[in-house]
Structures are given as C-alpha cells and as structure tokens.
Amino acid sequence: MQRTLLLASFLLTLGAVLVPAGAVAQEDQPLEASLLFGLGGSFDEDQSGLGNSGYQLGLSLGVARRTKVGVRFGEIDYAAGDFISSISQPTFSYVTVGGEYTFSERYYESGIYLGLGAYRLEGFQGGQPFDDTTLGLVLGVTGEFEVTRRLGFVVEAAGHVADFGPARYFLTFHGGLAYHF
C-alpha cells in the first residue's frame, strides 16, 4: 500500500514538473494575464448604443504552438439614463472560455478566438430588480503589440450572442495591457 502511494506521488510530482517544461518548449511565456478597458453595448437595441464603458480581465494558457485556451471576465455598465428595451440602469457581464489561434505579423501578433460564455443582464424593469442569465457564444479578434519581452499592449473586438429577451447581440471593444509569465 505504501509502495503504491509512493509511486503515485512520484508520478504526480514528475508530471507536475514536466508539463510546464513541455508548455515552455512550445511557448516562450505560456501564461498571459490581461487587464483591458473599453466600450460596448447591444447593437440590436437602438436606445443602448455602443458607447458604454467597461472592463475585461483575461487569463490564457499556451497549450500548443500558436494556440491558447483563455478565460475572460468582463462587464459593461450603461449610463444612468440608458435602457435596454424596458430595462433601466442595465449591466451586462460575462465569463467566457475559448480557444485562441494567433498569427505572427511583422510588428504585432494577431489572433482570433471562439468560445462559450455565461452571460448576465441586470437592471430594473418597471421599478423592480431585473436579473437574467443565459449561455451564449463569443467570436473575437485580438492584436498585441510588444512593449517589452513580457509586457504587451492588447486591442480586442468581440461579438457576443446571448439570448436575453430584450437584447441578443452585444459588441465589446477593449484595449489595455497583457503580462506574460
């Protein structure tokens, strides 16, 4: 019994040591964290517009050459007088998980990503709190301009499909910094 536990511990430790080495061999810095600020909104709803401020946090891991898996958390806050249909003071937030494929250009690195997301729309409808969640899809494009070996300036545009009753299609535009570990 002790021998089996010792062997299992050894194999887990060996795996934990070798997996990051394999990822490093495929990517110089396999882990990337980003903090972006930007604009967005629902483009199928005339009253809300796309000029609402927001932010996005991201974490991605290089899993193969030019291929990443990433998680993004973001939120778009609408101005006090804005509406999405009959929902006042709306807030659109999301968590997405997807695959990203990158391409090296001469002065920057571009990418395209596709993923699944969990979306939430909050606000007030008829004076009562409104809160709805749904699953959806995201398709986005990215560009990263290297500032230093570990730091880059990132721009990103994404389209989100989240089937809320009052709105279905959302766009987000972000820019900010990414740090590579």
Side-chain angles (χ1 to χ4, degrees):
M1 180 70 172
Q2 275 186 339
R3 196 184 236 169
T4 305
L5 286 174
L6 184 62
L7 180 61
S9 298
F10 173 76
L11 291 175
L12 283 173
T13 304
L14 182 65
V17 169
L18 292 180
V19 167
V24 169
Q26 293 173 357
E27 296 285 332
D28 288 341
Q29 295 110 10
L31 188 62
E32 175 185 320
S34 61
L35 173 61
L36 311 176
F37 296 96
L39 303 171
S42 172
F43 69 90
D44 61 343
E45 187 56 44
D46 291 337
Q47 297 175 6
S48 67
L50 296 175
N52 306 294
S53 64
Y55 67 91
Q56 179 176 283
L57 303 171
L59 188 63
S60 62
L61 177 66
V63 293
R65 184 167 162 74
R66 304 261 172 240
T67 306
K68 302 176 188 177
V69 173
V71 176
R72 290 172 170 85
F73 170 78
E75 185 172 285
I76 299 292
D77 285 321
Y78 289 74
D82 283 347
F83 286 83
I84 293 181
S85 187
S86 61
I87 301 169
S88 64
Q89 300 175 357
T91 300
F92 170 70
S93 56
Y94 57 89
V95 175
T96 64
V97 177
E100 182 176 344
Y101 304 97
T102 60
F103 311 94
S104 284
E105 308 297 338
R106 190 167 187 180
Y107 299 106
Y108 65 97
E109 186 172 277
S110 63
I112 185 167
Y113 67 92
L114 176 66
L116 299 173
Y119 295 91
R120 182 179 208 163
L121 183 62
E122 297 176 281
F124 295 93
Q125 188 173 38
Q128 299 296 317
F130 176 87
D131 188 354
D132 191 11
T133 58
T134 188
L135 296 177
L137 298 171
V138 62
L139 175 64
V141 293
T142 65
E144 182 173 350
F145 301 88
E146 188 176 283
V147 176
T148 68
R149 185 174 168 325
R150 295 200 177 268
L151 189 66
F153 177 74
V154 176
V155 291
E156 182 174 306
H160 304 264
V161 178
D163 193 11
F164 297 110
R168 177 175 288 157
Y169 305 106
F170 296 84
L171 287 176
T172 56
F173 305 95
H174 290 99
L177 296 175
Y179 186 78
H180 301 267
F181 296 92

